[in-house]
């Protein structure tokens, strides 16, 4: 059994996964409520909350898997990218468990984790495929040749905001809660996606850009009186979501007929999933941050033995 631990942002998560990719348990404690009144994740608050939650969440994951630490053969933990203080809490917990039990430790790249959400049962997707990884922190078009992170190449990335960030900032402009992606998704169902003609940025190559779109929404909202905004909110959400989805889908069409997969928080978006009927989408519960995907990636990450892993450090940025 592999114990996965994830604390890179505002979810404290632990999971138990078998070497064959079966999820025995996956526990996610979201801190979203704690950060909502600030309209985004406050790093220091996140670190402190991880510290309170990490041990009970690991206990809960083991207990739901009907396992104890005696059953664990490998500890996989997110080492980066993410908020450095938040990452250090998970990494320290993983080191302590590995040290106490004489277990190897696999330092997992969070982005590899998102891709590895596709390698869990029953999906168990085999490379090669092209993969859109769209989350709050990243928007990447990946060429996945094998299951190890070294076998993944980057074809395109965002030049400014990530797709999830565009959803979150748009939600904030519309006066919706944080995090905003799921809120826009829900509200968009009641609105007319053709009501506003928001721009889809056309940048060279396979890169993405979302900052112009956000500015267009800002202008549209600024021109409305409060009562008008209330009346047009669903139309704005639907039109804004349509523009983000169109930007993503256009890029994916440009990479050609290869097999395509979508992962990350934005892959939970219902319109994006519907717009890509032939793509393999990560299961909904595995789109947003979780530790099952980290345990999954740990299977394809070189483990570090004792005591070398004690020197491992967290890292904030990705590429
Ligand atoms: O992968 P994730 O949980 O965390 C990062 O690694 O960043 O992604 C979180 C992002 C947030 O920006 C959130 O608004 C977005 O995923 N998200 C969605 C939906 N659910 C979550 N965006 C659009 N539609 C959704 N249904
Ligand atoms: Zn993530």
């Amino acid at each position: 059994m592999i114990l996965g631990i994830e604390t890179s942002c505002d979810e404290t998560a632990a999971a138990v996964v078998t070497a064959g990719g079966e999820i025995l348990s996956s526990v996610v404690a979201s801190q979203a409520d704690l950060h909502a009144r600030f309209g985004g994740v406050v790093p220091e608050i996140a670190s402190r909350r991880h510290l309170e939650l990490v041990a009970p969440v690991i206990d809960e994951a083991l207990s739901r898997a009907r396992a104890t630490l005696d059953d664990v053969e490998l500890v996989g933990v997110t080492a980066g990218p993410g908020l450095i203080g938040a990452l250090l809490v998970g990494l320290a917990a993983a080191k302590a468990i590995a040290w106490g039990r004489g277990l190897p430790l696999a330092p997992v790249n969070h982005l590899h984790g998102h891709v590895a959400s596709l390698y869990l049962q029953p999906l168990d997707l085999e490379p090669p495929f092209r993969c859109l990884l769209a989350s709050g922190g990243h928007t990447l078009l990946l060429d996945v040749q094998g299951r190890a992170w070294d076998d993944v190449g980057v074809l395109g990335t965002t030049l400014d905001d990530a797709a999830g960030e565009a959803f979150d900032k748009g939600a904030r402009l519309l006066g919706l809660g944080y995090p905003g992606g799921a809120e826009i998704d829900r509200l968009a169902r009641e609105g007319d996606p053709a009501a506003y003609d928001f721009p889809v940025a056309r940048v060279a190559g396979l890169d993405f850009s979302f900052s112009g779109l956000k500015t267009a929404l800002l202008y549209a909202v600024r021109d409305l009186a409060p009562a008008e905004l209330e009346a047009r909110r669903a139309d704005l959400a639907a039109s804004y979501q349509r523009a983000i989805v169109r930007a993503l889908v256009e890029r994916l069409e440009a990479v050609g007929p290869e097999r395509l997969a979508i992962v990350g928080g934005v892959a939970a978006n219902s319109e994006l999933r519907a717009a890509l009927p032939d793509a393999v989408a990560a299961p909904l519960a595995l789109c947003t941050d979780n530790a099952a995907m980290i345990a999954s990636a740990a299977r394809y990450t070189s483990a570090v033995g004792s005591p070398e892993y004690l020197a491992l450090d967290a890292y904030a940025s990705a590429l």
Side-chain angles (χ1 to χ4, degrees), residues 156-175:
T157 185
T158 182
L159 302 177
D160 39 60
D161 293 343
E165 205 176 350
F167 270 107
D168 294 337
K169 288 179 176 173
R172 206 205 295 216
L173 289 170
L174 292 173

Side-chain angles (χ1 to χ4, degrees), residues 102-130:
L103 298 172
L105 186 154
V108 172
N109 181 302
H110 182 82
L111 304 175
H112 184 205
H114 276 297
V115 178
S117 65
L118 301 164
Y119 304 148
L120 290 160
Q121 300 294 346
L123 203 52
D124 202 13
L125 189 69
E126 247 344 297
F129 54 88
R130 300 283 165 92

Side-chain angles (χ1 to χ4, degrees), residues 29 57 135 178 182 243 262 276 298:
V57 165
S135 69
Y178 170 86
I262 55 172
L276 297 167

Side-chain angles (χ1 to χ4, degrees), residues 80-93:
L83 301 170
I84 202 76
L87 288 162
L88 284 170
V89 175
L91 189 58

Side-chain angles (χ1 to χ4, degrees), residues 70-206:
D70 291 339
D71 303 307
V72 175
E73 289 146 297
L74 171 67
V75 182
V77 62
T78 307
L83 301 170
I84 202 76
L87 288 162
L88 284 170
V89 175
L91 189 58
K95 285 180 182 178
I97 291 170
W99 177 257
R101 296 279 158 165
L103 298 172
L105 186 154
V108 172
N109 181 302
H110 182 82
L111 304 175
H112 184 205
H114 276 297
V115 178
S117 65
L118 301 164
Y119 304 148
L120 290 160
Q121 300 294 346
L123 203 52
D124 202 13
L125 189 69
E126 247 344 297
F129 54 88
R130 300 283 165 92
C131 184
L132 172 71
L133 191 175
S135 69
H138 300 89
T139 305
L140 293 166
L141 194 47
L142 301 171
D143 177 26
V144 183
Q145 289 296 327
R147 286 188 166 184
W149 188 233
D150 281 348
D151 298 328
V152 178
V154 177
L155 302 171
T157 185
T158 182
L159 302 177
D160 39 60
D161 293 343
E165 205 176 350
F167 270 107
D168 294 337
K169 288 179 176 173
R172 206 205 295 216
L173 289 170
L174 292 173
L176 303 171
Y178 170 86
E183 294 264 333
I184 289 189
D185 196 347
R186 191 183 44 72
L187 186 60
R189 282 174 211 154
E190 300 159 25
D192 174 8
Y196 288 84
D197 190 17
F198 288 127
V200 174
R202 296 213 159 71
V203 291
L206 292 172

Side-chain angles (χ1 to χ4, degrees), residues 222-306:
R222 213 175 46 179
D223 291 342
L224 297 175
E228 280 178 312
L229 174 59
E230 192 59 48
R232 303 301 309 269
R233 207 191 308 267
D235 286 345
L236 285 160
S239 304
Y240 187 72
Q241 172 170 287
R242 173 65 50 90
I244 296 177
V245 168
R246 221 183 320 134
L248 294 171
V249 170
E250 271 185 15
R251 277 295 177 263
L252 299 177
E253 282 166 352
V255 301
E258 261 106 336
R259 208 154 47 122
L260 186 75
I262 55 172
V263 300
V266 176
N269 186 264
S270 59
E271 186 171 347
L272 181 64
R273 292 171 90 95
L276 297 167
D278 297 329
V280 178
L284 276 182
L286 298 176
C287 285
T288 46
D289 287 349
N290 64 87
M293 69 183 198
I294 302 303
S296 178
R299 299 179 293 154
Y300 309 104
T301 303
S302 306
V304 183
S306 174

